[in-house]
């Protein structure tokens, strides 16, 4: 809801409770949540400190599910702040752990993030390669959220290249499965991108309802 101060206060209270219980897993989860919150509000170094503290604990506990997620958060933080080599290392670490334990959702997330990273880096061949791998993996496992992310990311890729019709087709592939996904933020992003691409194609009356739905 955008109440950053209240969210921060509650996360810190939660962290205090977990420390009193000596719950290492709970402490790590709190560190990860606080790191995400801090990153969203621009404190790059503080965010990385929390994420690395969370990662250190999860490695010690041997938690195979949380380790790849924390690596992703570290990678996104680096990527958002222009540290692409560091982001690459974090995403690759996430992918390696996920492959080791056959965690297909984490594999798809790492592949999508690697695609986004190479898009920002300007290596379009590698970017499209990772997005297509993510699509294949999502289809194999009926992972609709991951698939929607991939279609959206690949649509943005082709939109960046000025290939609006290809982007249009990819966004509408995503629209076909959007009702199978619960992530409202992702749905808003996809519908906003559909509205944007339709606008670029001068289909203004078709674009309008998608932009309104995205805004709502």
């Amino acid at each position: 809801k955008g109440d950053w101060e209240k969210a921060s206060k509650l996360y810190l209270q939660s962290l205090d409770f977990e420390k009193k219980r000596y719950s290492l897993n709970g402490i790590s989860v709190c560190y990860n949540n606080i790191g995400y919150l801090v990153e969203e509000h621009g404190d790059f170094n503080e965010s990385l400190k929390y994420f690395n503290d969370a990662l250190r604990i999860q490695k010690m506990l041997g938690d195979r599910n949380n380790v790849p997620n924390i690596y992703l958060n570290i990678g996104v933080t680096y990527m958002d702040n222009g540290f692409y080599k560091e982001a690459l290392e974090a995403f690759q670490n996430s992918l390696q752990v996920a492959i080791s334990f056959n965690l297909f959702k984490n594999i798809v997330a790492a592949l999508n993030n690697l695609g986004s990273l190479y898009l920002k880096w300007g290596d379009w061949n590698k970017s499209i390669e990772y997005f297509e791998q993510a699509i294949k993996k999502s289809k194999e496992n009926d992972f609709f959220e991951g698939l929607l992310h991939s279609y959206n990311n690949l649509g943005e890729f082709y939109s960046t290249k000025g290939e609006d019709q290809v982007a249009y087709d990819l966004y509408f592939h995503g629209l076909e499965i959007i009702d199978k996904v619960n992530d409202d933020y992702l749905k808003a992003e996809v519908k906003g991108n559909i509205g944007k691409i339709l606008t670029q194609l001068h289909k203004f009356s078709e674009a309008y309802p998608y932009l309104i739905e995205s805004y709502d």
Side-chain angles (χ1 to χ4, degrees):
K1 291 185 175 181
D3 193 338
W4 183 85
E5 288 186 8
K6 187 171 183 179
S8 179
K9 182 180 178 180
L10 289 167
Y11 278 143
L12 289 170
Q13 286 179 336
S14 181
L15 177 61
D16 187 51
F17 285 129
E18 297 293 6
K19 285 181 174 179
K20 287 176 180 176
R21 295 196 310 140
Y22 300 100
S23 170
L24 289 176
N25 185 64
I27 291 168
S28 176
V29 170
C30 288
Y31 281 155
N32 191 46
N33 287 337
I34 294 168
Y36 177 77
L37 185 67
V38 170
E39 200 274 334
E40 284 290 296
H41 288 82
D43 196 331
F44 167 65
N45 291 317
E46 190 73 3
S47 173
L48 285 174
K49 177 185 176 298
Y50 278 114
F51 285 143
N52 280 301
D53 285 345
L55 181 62
R56 201 172 298 116
I57 293 172
Q58 293 298 354
K59 280 184 172 180
M60 183 173 64
L61 295 175
D63 189 325
R64 66 186 189 184
N65 292 307
N66 281 318
V67 166
N69 286 331
I70 298 171
Y71 270 129
L72 283 183
N73 286 339
I74 291 171
V76 168
T77 301
Y78 275 124
M79 181 171 66
D80 287 348
N81 288 276
F83 293 89
Y84 294 158
K85 289 183 179 179
E86 291 83 356
L88 176 61
E89 182 181 356
F91 290 149
Q92 287 177 333
N93 285 335
S94 179
L95 182 60
Q96 286 169 6
V97 174
I99 289 173
S100 296
F101 296 103
N102 196 29
L103 305 170
F104 71 86
K105 290 184 179 180
N106 300 89
I107 292 171
V108 170
L111 291 171
N112 272 322
N113 277 288
L114 282 163
S116 296
L117 174 62
Y118 278 110
L119 178 58
K120 288 177 179 286
W121 218 334
D123 191 333
W124 288 357
N125 289 331
K126 281 194 175 180
S127 178
I128 196 169
E129 177 186 330
Y130 280 114
F131 286 144
E132 288 180 344
Q133 284 183 46
I135 288 172
K136 182 181 178 186
K137 193 71 177 177
S138 293
K139 285 181 175 179
E140 288 173 356
N141 293 278
D142 291 329
F143 180 32
F144 296 110
E145 184 176 318
L147 189 57
L148 187 57
H149 268 294
S150 298
Y151 282 140
N152 189 51
N153 289 339
L154 203 51
E156 290 178 345
F157 170 87
Y158 281 107
S159 179
T160 300
K161 289 182 68 178
E163 298 184 31
D164 292 343
Q165 188 59 51
V166 179
Y168 171 90
D169 292 341
L170 286 160
Y171 289 140
F172 272 85
H173 279 313
L175 194 63
E176 290 170 355
I177 60 169
I178 203 167
D179 290 336
K180 297 179 180 180
V181 174
N182 294 320
D183 187 336
D184 285 339
Y185 179 83
L186 178 58
K187 289 181 179 181
E189 189 174 0
V190 171
K191 289 187 177 182
N193 281 333
I194 291 171
K196 175 184 171 184
I197 208 72
L198 284 168
T199 301
Q200 289 172 196
L201 291 167
H202 296 181
K203 298 181 179 181
F204 303 116
S205 60
E206 292 179 44
Y208 183 75
Y210 289 110
L211 293 171
I212 292 297
E213 285 183 54
S214 176
Y215 179 74
D216 286 344

